[in-house]
């Protein structure tokens, strides 16, 4: 009687509530915090914010919160600190080389566990193998490439002509590079107004060193991240070549600054430089002379490391957060967007199908130099990455710098770096 | 009396609690952490006071950081002191353009080091950097200041001194301007030279300020790493790594937080020793009025 | 004041050697001044010229404001500045509120353990919070304040420097004034507020200026503790321009530098005299 009315009322409100519940729940979009570094010039924060906004328009139930975290070092520091504190973001763009540290901390979820449909698998395997290499370790795909680069050789065509060299033929081998470099050096008294080549060694010192070692036929680490080969004959030969460039007056003495090198090149203070393909836009805008971009010269073979950042999904994310993050990653790496990102920032478009888009094709027509990095990818190797990555690479950086600065011979410096690497990696070597 | 005691404690408590929470308590935590090893796969963290100490003793980068820091402090402290005193003496007298000069000396203080580090990077750039341009006519134009292990630390020191001297000038200036003018009159009447006047009258009276400046510059000499973070990142080959920078590297890049703790304790001990040394040397000569 | 001016110009040592010495001194002082301000001058020159003329020094190269626009677009500098202003204000107010009563208690009240506590407090003069950043990071993390303005500010709020400075100043205030106020029936807090604080004004100004300068410049600790644009102060924000994979664009960096340091420079230009005078009256000796 009274009870029945109450029961009806209660059921009615329950049913309404149940019907309304999904609507209420869905009214709150799932927030995905996304940590990212900035390592390129240009209005990156605006571009990333734009992506978040556009993605949210197509996916109203997900809200992307991009958090700019500094450079790669800062970003991995923040990500790991947050993870250790129990409040890691679901998604982060981290240096591809950090994969072993993240695996050791059991911090990340491999993408192959999330991207299970056939369509997803096709997407995952649609990236250039060279860019997937850093993340495809220990049988899983731990990360997805986003902002990737590779070093290339830039050369000043006017300077070549003035030195009596063919402006359309860059050096193909180390020997040619040294010989051409010597011809390009312009000196008056003790001051040099133009150097032959600059291979900078600040910033990520090991990056260009890895290129040299690869060209000498030596990979610097084992593909499972447990061994380093810093003092193998090829590695030593590579460093000796680099040091010789300075000693023979082809390159400025000491440790050449990474940041100043593109400016030096555009100002005509050096005729050739090794730097990331990401600097192409800067050079195109600021060089007042025709310039060319070529693959790095070979010794025994061509070789170049890749570089840059990949997407990683953290284990602390809930299933819903993981799926939302995957959706965003798939969306932002779509061919058109990958092409646009590459054009806006100078990074290499990460998928072959991005290079096939009309946008990219037009870019290559306007600036043919931008295709060189892509062509070099077939000689590219994963960037130096091991367990306890920083503890292994920072002393390597010091060793290379010591040799270039002349305070140690290459062999001695690399022996020390190797000894350090052996000590740090010992717990990981099963044998 | 009792009421005063309660009042006293209540007034100091908020500030002291906050202070202790972020200085004294973490210091104790750091000491505790320094006695443990950091976890590595297969070896969880354990209490091993000897292990960390052994690693420290055997760590070449630590010794280099220590050496570098002593050189850093050893150059910065006397030069900054001398410069800030000289600047104050110059600006103390009335002459046209005094305000402008004072402004010029003080400007580095208000510019964040992060902001000016890049400017200095430019100045020291080989070849077209301002310094090399100036040296070029003398035939010395091609130094890679930050790229060679022998000149990187001196260049970093120059930047630190530039940043600090103007700030301490203000303290000396304040002290000079509150000195009674009749002292100078008396010295003039007695025919004392400026140098004698300075040495016998001004310098001793400035002792409290000198002590204050000395200790603060010393502390800064261990804290000032911003330009290192931006320009050299401790390189080349750890030539510009000083203790605090190494702590940052070990704690936030290697994630070896317990070793970082031991390094921190070492740094604190060193800082304490330096402060005590200065206090001992100078406090005797301080005349308070 | 005028006395010392006249006295200051009395030649204390005459003769040609003295004159020459004086000239060397003046030239040296001005040379030093030029050297000291050179980085700022160069920054101005670099920011108003386009990127391609950076490698030389041509006084008549074309001018441009493009760099400022590019710097503004590359990072939310206005947000960073707002954060810095909020942070510095927060620290300023909080330190004054916390350190004043403590300084008064150390200066004028007797309570057991006072001198030992003071000595313990003074330890912080040496052991600044950023030296302990690894541990402090964890503490702030436990409080849930990572990546927040209070998180940046908290370790600095209890300031030994402030307590020390204010205590010294309070001690110079004549006891008779305090007794008189007490006889008029003013309670403890009233006496602090009505008597001690106004008389210590120069110290507060000087101390405030030191504080603003320090926290405006602070880099390493905010770098470690902040993540997002809504919290990051200008020093950390400026670091973007330095930590570039690609290379240094001098003109944009200097433009960004100028934008972010402009408020401080302008403020100092306007308040130079007060700044120096307050130091004098504060008698930091």
């Amino acid at each position: 009687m009274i009870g029945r009315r109450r029961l009806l009322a209660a059921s009615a409100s329950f049913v309404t509530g149940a019907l309304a519940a999904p609507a209420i729940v869905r009214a709150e979009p799932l927030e995905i915090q996304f940590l990212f570094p900035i390592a390129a010039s240009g209005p990156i924060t605006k571009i990333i914010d734009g992506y978040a906004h556009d993605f949210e328009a197509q996916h109203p139930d997900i809200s992307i919160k991009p958090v700019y975290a500094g450079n790669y070092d800062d970003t991995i520091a923040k990500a790991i600190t947050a993870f250790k504190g129990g409040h890691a973001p679901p998604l982060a763009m981290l240096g591809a080389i950090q994969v072993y540290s993240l695996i050791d901390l059991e911090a990340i979820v491999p993408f192959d566990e999330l991207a299970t449909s056939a369509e997803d698998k096709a997407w995952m395997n649609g990236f250039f193998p060279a860019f997937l290499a850093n993340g495809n370790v220990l049988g899983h795909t731990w990360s997805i490439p986003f902002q990737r680069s590779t070093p290339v050789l830039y050369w000043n065509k006017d300077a070549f002509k003035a030195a009596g060299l063919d402006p359309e033929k860059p050096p193909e081998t180390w020997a040619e590079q040294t010989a051409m470099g010597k011809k390009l050096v312009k000196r008056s008294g003790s001051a040099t107004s133009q150097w032959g080549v600059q291979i900078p060694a600040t910033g990520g010192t090991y990056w260009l060193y890895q290129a040299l070692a690869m060209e000498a036929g030596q990979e610097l680490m084992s593909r499972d991240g447990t061994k380093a080969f810093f003092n193998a004959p090829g590695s030593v030969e590579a460093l000796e070549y680099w040091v010789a460039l300075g000693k023979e007056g082809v390159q400025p003495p000491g440790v050449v600054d990474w940041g100043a090198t593109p400016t030096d090149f555009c100002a005509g203070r050096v005729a050739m430089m090794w730097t990331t393909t990401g600097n192409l836009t800067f050079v195109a805008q600021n060089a007042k002379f025709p310039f060319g971009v070529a693959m790095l010269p070979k010794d025994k073979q061509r070789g170049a490391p890749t570089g840059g950042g990949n997407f990683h999904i953290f284990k602390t994310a809930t299933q819903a957060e993981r799926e939302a993050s995957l959706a965003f990653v798939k969306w932002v790496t779509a061919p058109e967007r990958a092409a646009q990102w590459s054009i806006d920032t100078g990074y290499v478009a990460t998928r072959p199908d991005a290079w096939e888009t009309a946008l990219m094709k037009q870019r290559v027509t306007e600036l043919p130099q931008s295709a060189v990095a892509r062509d070099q990818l077939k000689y590219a190797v994963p960037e130096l990455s091991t367990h306890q990555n920083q503890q292994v690479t920072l002393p390597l950086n010091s060793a290379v710098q010591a040799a270039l600065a002349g305070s140690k011979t290459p062999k001695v410096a690399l022996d020390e770096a190797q000894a350090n690497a052996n000590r740090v990696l010992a717990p990981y070597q099963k044998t | 009396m009792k009421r005063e005691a309660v009042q006293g404690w209540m007034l100091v408590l908020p500030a002291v609690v906050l202070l202790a929470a972020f200085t004294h308590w973490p210091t104790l935590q750091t000491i505790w952490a320094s006695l443990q090893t950091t976890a590595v796969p297969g070896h969880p963290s354990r209490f091993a006071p000897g292990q960390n100490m052994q690693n420290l003793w055997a760590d070449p980068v630590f010794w280099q950081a220590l050496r570098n820091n002593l050189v850093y402090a050893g150059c910065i402290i006397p030069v900054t002191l001398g410069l800030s005193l000289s600047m104050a003496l110059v600006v103390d007298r009335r002459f046209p353009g005094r305000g402008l000069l004072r402004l010029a000396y003080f400007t580095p203080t208000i510019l964040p080091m992060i902001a000016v580090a890049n400017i200095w990077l430019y100045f020291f750039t080989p070849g077209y950097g301002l310094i090399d341009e100036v040296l070029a006519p003398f035939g010395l134009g091609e130094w890679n200041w930050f790229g060679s292990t022998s000149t990187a630390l001196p260049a970093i020191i120059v930047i630190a001194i530039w940043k600090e001297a103007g700030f301490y000038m203000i303290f000396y200036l304040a002290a000079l301007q509150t000195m009674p003018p009749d002292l100078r009159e008396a010295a003039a009447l007695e025919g004392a030279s400026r140098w004698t006047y300075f040495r016998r009258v001004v310098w001793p009276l400035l002792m409290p300020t000198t002590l204050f400046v000395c200790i603060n510059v010393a502390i800064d000499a261990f804290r000032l790493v911003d330009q290192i973070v931006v320009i050299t990142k401790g390189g080349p080959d750890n030539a510009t790594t000083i203790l605090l920078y190494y702590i940052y590297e070990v704690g936030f890049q290697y994630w070896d937080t317990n070793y970082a703790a031991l390094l921190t304790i070492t740094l604190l001990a060193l800082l304490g020793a330096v402060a005590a040394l200065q206090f001992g040397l100078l406090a005797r000569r301080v005349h308070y009025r | 004041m005028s006395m010392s001016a006249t006295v200051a110009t009395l030649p204390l040592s005459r003769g040609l050697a003295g004159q020459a010495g004086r000239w060397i001194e003046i030239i040296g002082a001005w040379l030093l001044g030029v050297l000291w301000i050179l980085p700022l001058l160069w920054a101005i020159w670099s920011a108003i010229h386009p990127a391609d003329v950076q490698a030389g020094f041509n006084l008549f190269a074309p001018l441009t404001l493009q760099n400022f626009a590019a710097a503004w677009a590359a990072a939310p500098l206005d947000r960073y500045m707002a954060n810095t202003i909020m942070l510095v204000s927060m620290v300023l107010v909080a330190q004054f509120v916390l350190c004043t009563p403590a300084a008064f208690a150390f200066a004028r009240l007797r309570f057991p353990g006072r001198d030992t506590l003071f000595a313990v407090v003074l330890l912080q003069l040496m052991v600044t919070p950023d030296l302990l950043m690894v541990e402090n990071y964890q503490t702030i993390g436990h409080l849930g304040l990572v990546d927040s303005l209070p998180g940046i500010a908290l370790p600095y709020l209890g300031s030994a420097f402030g307590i020390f400075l204010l205590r010294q100043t309070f001690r110079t205030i004549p006891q008779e004034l305090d007794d008189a106020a007490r006889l008029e029936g003013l309670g403890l807090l009233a006496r602090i507020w009505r008597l001690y604080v106004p008389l210590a004004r120069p110290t507060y100004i000087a101390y405030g200026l030191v504080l603003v300068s320090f926290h405006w410049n602070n880099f390493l600790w905010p770098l470690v503790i902040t993540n997002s644009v809504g919290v990051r102060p200008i020093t950390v924000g400026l670091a973007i321009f330095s930590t570039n994979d690609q290379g240094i664009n001098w003109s944009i960096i200097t433009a960004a530098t100028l934008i972010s340091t402009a408020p401080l420079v302008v403020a100092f230009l306007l308040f130079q005299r007060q700044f120096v005078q307050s130091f004098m009256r504060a008698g930091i000796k």
Side-chain angles (χ1 to χ4, degrees):
Chain A
M1 288 46 62
I2 317 163
R4 197 144 64 105
R5 216 190 294 152
R6 277 229 196 102
L7 192 59
L8 261 174
S11 327
S13 50
F14 176 82
V15 170
T16 332
L19 283 174
I24 297 170
V25 163
R26 225 177 278 125
E28 268 298 317
L30 181 62
E31 184 176 291
I32 301 293
Q33 216 192 44
F34 160 48
L35 220 59
F36 72 97
I38 291 187
S41 50
I44 306 284
T45 27
K46 286 217 172 76
I47 299 177
I48 301 271
D49 283 342
Y51 287 158
H53 191 253
D54 293 344
F55 178 77
E56 284 170 4
Q58 292 182 8
H59 295 82
D61 51 337
I62 306 179
S63 161
I64 303 285
K65 287 262 167 302
V67 174
Y68 157 62
N71 58 14
Y72 286 120
D73 288 339
D74 299 334
T75 312
I76 185 72
K78 288 191 196 307
I80 291 190
T81 316
F83 174 75
K84 287 188 173 179
H87 47 267
L91 185 63
M93 161 89 46
L94 304 168
I97 54 174
Q98 303 292 0
V99 65
Y100 289 109
S101 309
L102 294 165
I103 294 175
D104 286 340
L105 285 169
E106 297 185 12
I108 52 177
V109 173
F111 275 81
D112 50 291
E113 280 179 20
L114 296 170
T116 43
S117 72
E119 183 206 334
D120 283 350
K121 281 203 184 31
W123 160 79
M124 222 171 55
N125 295 322
F127 294 91
F128 283 109
F131 290 145
L132 281 172
N134 269 112
N136 281 6
V137 294
L138 306 178
H140 287 286
T141 302
W142 295 94
S143 59
I144 295 292
F146 182 58
Q147 50 188 45
R148 305 302 299 270
S149 58
T150 172
V152 288
L153 176 83
Y154 294 71
W155 86 90
N156 180 337
K157 292 188 179 174
D158 280 352
F160 267 50
K161 217 188 298 181
L165 298 165
D166 182 346
E168 296 308 318
K169 296 191 84 233
E172 301 272 316
T173 67
W174 284 7
E176 279 178 27
Q177 182 174 251
T178 312
M180 290 183 180
K182 284 194 181 147
K183 287 219 185 87
L184 289 159
V185 173
K186 284 202 226 157
R187 198 168 275 135
S188 52
S190 67
T192 312
S193 56
Q194 182 176 282
W195 294 94
V197 69
Q198 260 174 225
I199 305 181
T202 60
T205 311
Y206 68 85
W207 204 50
L208 294 180
Y209 174 58
Q210 194 180 359
L212 287 164
M214 211 43 228
E215 289 152 21
Q218 178 66 49
E219 284 210 31
L220 284 183
M221 85 269 180
S222 63
R223 291 292 177 104
D224 63 357
T226 59
K227 292 199 199 58
F229 306 114
F230 299 154
N231 62 354
S235 310
V236 178
E237 186 197 326
L239 189 53
E240 281 173 351
Y241 173 70
W242 197 355
V243 170
L245 281 176
K247 286 225 183 81
E248 294 178 32
V250 178
Q251 176 175 251
V255 175
V256 176
D257 189 70
W258 172 273
T261 296
T263 313
D264 289 349
F265 180 74
C266 293
R269 288 197 41 85
V270 66
M272 296 189 278
M273 70 167 172
W274 288 34
T275 187
T276 172
T277 183
N279 272 322
L280 185 56
T281 317
F282 178 84
V283 175
Q285 283 171 353
N286 293 306
K288 298 272 176 290
F289 46 81
F291 70 95
V293 172
M295 294 195 226
L296 299 177
K298 63 180 174 205
D299 181 34
K300 298 193 178 57
Q301 62 187 24
R302 296 261 189 209
T306 56
N310 284 10
F311 282 108
H312 299 75
I313 296 184
F314 278 80
K315 219 176 235 180
T316 42
T318 63
Q319 187 60 27
E321 287 172 341
R322 294 181 193 184
E323 285 169 11
S325 304
L326 178 65
F328 180 64
V329 172
K330 283 197 321 210
W331 182 89
V332 86
T333 53
E336 284 288 336
R337 230 156 268 119
Q340 187 63 53
W341 173 249
S342 161
I343 295 174
D344 288 338
T345 58
Y347 287 116
V348 180
T350 48
R351 310 171 57 90
D353 49 17
W355 287 88
E356 295 304 312
T357 60
L359 201 57
M360 209 55 195
K361 285 202 168 140
Q362 193 200 357
R363 171 77 166 171
V364 173
T365 322
E366 288 168 5
L367 198 59
Q369 294 95 327
S370 49
V372 175
R374 176 202 59 191
D375 297 336
Q376 193 178 235
L377 282 179
K378 57 178 176 293
Y379 305 112
V381 289
E383 192 179 353
L384 178 59
S385 167
T386 63
H387 292 272
Q388 306 272 59
N389 201 52
Q390 302 279 57
Q391 261 124 319
V392 171
T393 44
L394 291 186
L396 176 65
N397 285 356
S398 294
V400 172
Q401 287 172 359
L404 288 169
S407 52
K408 292 190 185 133
T409 67
K411 182 84 174 63
V412 167
L414 289 172
D415 280 343
E416 285 176 7
Q418 181 68 38
N420 175 68
N422 289 342
R423 185 180 54 82
V424 170
L425 292 173
Y428 301 93
Q429 289 164 0
K430 297 318 190 323
T431 41
Chain B
M1 249 329 117
K2 189 128 185 266
R3 187 154 153 265
E4 196 174 319
V6 170
Q7 279 174 338
W9 273 99
M10 276 179 36
L11 288 180
V12 297
L13 224 48
V16 170
V17 162
L18 272 176
L19 212 147
F22 292 98
T23 305
H24 301 87
W25 173 239
T27 306
L28 292 176
Q29 278 182 311
T30 306
I31 296 178
W32 177 242
S34 69
L35 300 174
Q36 320 209 19
T37 59
T38 308
V40 191
H43 303 104
S45 175
R46 63 182 214 281
F47 183 80
Q51 186 60 47
N52 270 345
M53 282 298 284
Q54 251 185 320
N55 292 345
L56 186 76
W57 199 258
D59 182 359
V61 182
F62 163 68
W63 289 107
Q64 176 145 21
L66 186 62
R67 266 201 307 276
N68 289 343
N69 222 153
L70 291 174
V71 170
Y72 194 61
C75 292
I76 291 180
I77 299 176
V79 177
T80 306
L81 202 73
L83 269 181
S84 57
L85 180 55
S86 313
M87 287 172 175
L89 286 171
V90 162
V91 174
D92 187 33
R93 324 167 96 206
R94 284 270 177 93
F95 58 88
R98 162 170 100 152
L100 204 61
L101 202 55
R102 189 175 55 201
L103 178 67
Y105 290 152
F106 192 72
T107 309
T109 312
I110 56 182
L111 302 174
M113 181 61 103
I114 279 299
V116 294
N118 282 305
I119 301 178
W120 278 101
L121 177 58
Y122 171 81
F123 276 15
F124 280 110
T125 303
Y128 59 81
L130 221 58
I131 295 187
D132 273 6
E133 291 256 23
V134 163
L135 292 177
F138 303 99
L140 297 166
E142 209 45 75
W143 278 110
N144 188 354
W145 299 92
F146 290 121
S148 106
T149 47
S150 48
T151 53
L153 191 59
I156 291 286
I157 290 176
V158 164
I159 301 177
I161 293 176
W162 172 82
K163 182 89 172 69
E164 297 281 279
F167 178 67
Y168 294 105
M169 167 190 77
I170 297 286
F171 293 96
Y172 271 124
L173 195 59
L176 282 174
Q177 295 197 337
T178 54
M179 268 183 12
D182 34 318
L183 285 175
R184 222 181 275 210
E185 269 186 6
L189 287 173
E190 292 195 27
S193 73
R194 264 180 55 220
W195 174 245
T196 317
Y197 172 64
F198 176 77
R199 197 160 55 90
R200 292 286 190 75
V201 181
V202 177
W203 176 249
L205 284 178
L206 286 178
M207 261 304 164
T209 313
T210 301
L211 180 61
F212 177 81
V213 169
C214 235
I215 295 203
N216 276 287
V217 176
I219 295 172
D220 280 346
F222 289 93
R223 281 191 56 243
L224 208 55
V225 292
D226 300 2
Q227 78 276 40
I228 300 175
V229 172
V230 170
I231 302 180
T232 59
K233 299 214 175 344
D237 188 27
N238 295 314
T240 55
T241 300
I242 60 174
L243 284 172
L244 186 60
Y245 185 79
Y246 192 40
I247 292 173
Y248 171 67
E249 209 173 64
V250 172
F252 289 92
Q253 294 186 335
Y254 291 177
W255 302 107
D256 196 347
T257 43
N258 293 333
Y259 187 51
L262 182 58
L263 289 169
T264 309
I265 298 295
T266 315
L267 174 59
L268 295 181
L270 190 59
L271 207 52
V274 169
L277 190 72
Q278 289 180 331
F279 212 79
L281 279 178
L282 297 173
R284 270 178 279 137
R285 310 231 199 105
V286 169
H287 306 267
Y288 284 100
R289 286 190 287 121
Chain C
M1 220 13 138
S2 53
M3 257 281 246
S4 59
T6 341
V7 171
T9 51
L10 260 181
L12 283 175
S13 67
R14 300 149 206 255
L16 216 54
Q19 291 282 40
R22 182 84 55 74
W23 274 109
I24 294 179
E25 194 183 296
I26 292 181
I27 293 178
W30 278 100
L31 218 57
L32 195 68
V34 166
L35 188 65
W36 242 238
I37 201 140
L38 205 55
L40 187 60
L41 290 180
W42 178 77
I44 297 175
W45 177 88
S46 167
I48 56 179
H49 289 100
D52 47 2
V53 299
Q54 296 298 327
F57 187 75
N58 182 356
L59 215 51
F60 300 107
L63 295 176
T64 174
L65 285 178
Q66 179 58 25
N67 298 318
F68 293 99
W72 197 259
L77 292 176
D78 51 344
R79 187 70 237 222
Y80 292 153
M81 294 239 267
N83 294 340
T84 310
I85 293 176
M86 275 197 289
L87 172 69
V88 171
S89 315
M90 190 187 297
V91 175
L92 197 66
V93 169
Q95 276 205 14
F96 281 179
V97 167
L98 286 170
C99 295
T100 303
F104 175 77
F106 280 122
R108 279 286 135 86
L109 296 179
R110 273 196 209 96
F111 51 94
R114 181 187 71 174
D115 291 331
T116 329
L117 191 63
F118 189 59
V120 166
V121 161
L122 284 190
L123 276 178
Q124 201 232 25
L125 285 178
M126 237 175 40
V127 182
T128 52
D130 42 331
L131 292 184
L132 296 162
M133 56 182 159
V134 177
E135 306 294 332
N136 281 333
Y137 185 91
Q138 292 174 0
T139 310
I140 299 281
H142 288 143
L143 292 171
L145 288 176
V146 175
D147 198 29
S148 69
L149 284 181
I152 308 178
L154 214 53
Y156 294 99
L157 295 185
S159 163
F161 188 66
I163 295 177
F164 174 72
L165 217 57
L166 289 172
R167 171 188 181 261
Q168 301 299 90
T169 309
F170 286 165
R171 280 175 70 158
T172 63
I173 294 175
Q175 185 70 40
E176 304 83 55
L177 288 176
D178 193 5
D179 295 335
R182 207 182 314 187
L183 285 174
E184 286 190 31
L186 286 176
L188 198 67
L189 291 175
R191 269 159 39 218
I192 300 179
W193 180 245
R194 308 282 268 315
L195 178 65
Y196 284 84
V197 169
L199 283 178
R201 216 165 75 111
T203 308
Y204 278 105
I205 296 181
Y207 175 50
L209 292 169
V210 172
L211 207 140
V212 168
S213 170
F214 177 85
H215 285 281
W216 193 281
N217 273 275
N218 205 11
F219 173 65
L220 202 53
W221 169 249
L223 174 71
V224 159
I225 200 78
T226 60
N227 282 332
S228 49
V229 174
V231 182
R232 192 175 287 132
I234 191 73
T235 44
V236 181
L238 271 182
I240 306 180
F241 295 96
S242 327
T243 56
N244 210 322
D245 255 1
Q246 292 179 339
I248 299 186
N249 191 333
W250 299 115
S251 42
I252 297 194
I253 289 182
T254 46
T257 303
L258 287 178
I259 295 177
S260 52
T261 55
L264 273 188
V265 176
V266 166
F268 181 67
L269 276 173
L270 294 175
F271 297 110
Q272 245 202 93
R273 278 235 308 196
Q274 288 90 316
F275 190 80
V276 179
Q277 283 184 350
S278 63
F279 266 82
M280 277 164 45
R281 292 206 227 109
I284 300 175
K285 284 193 266 197

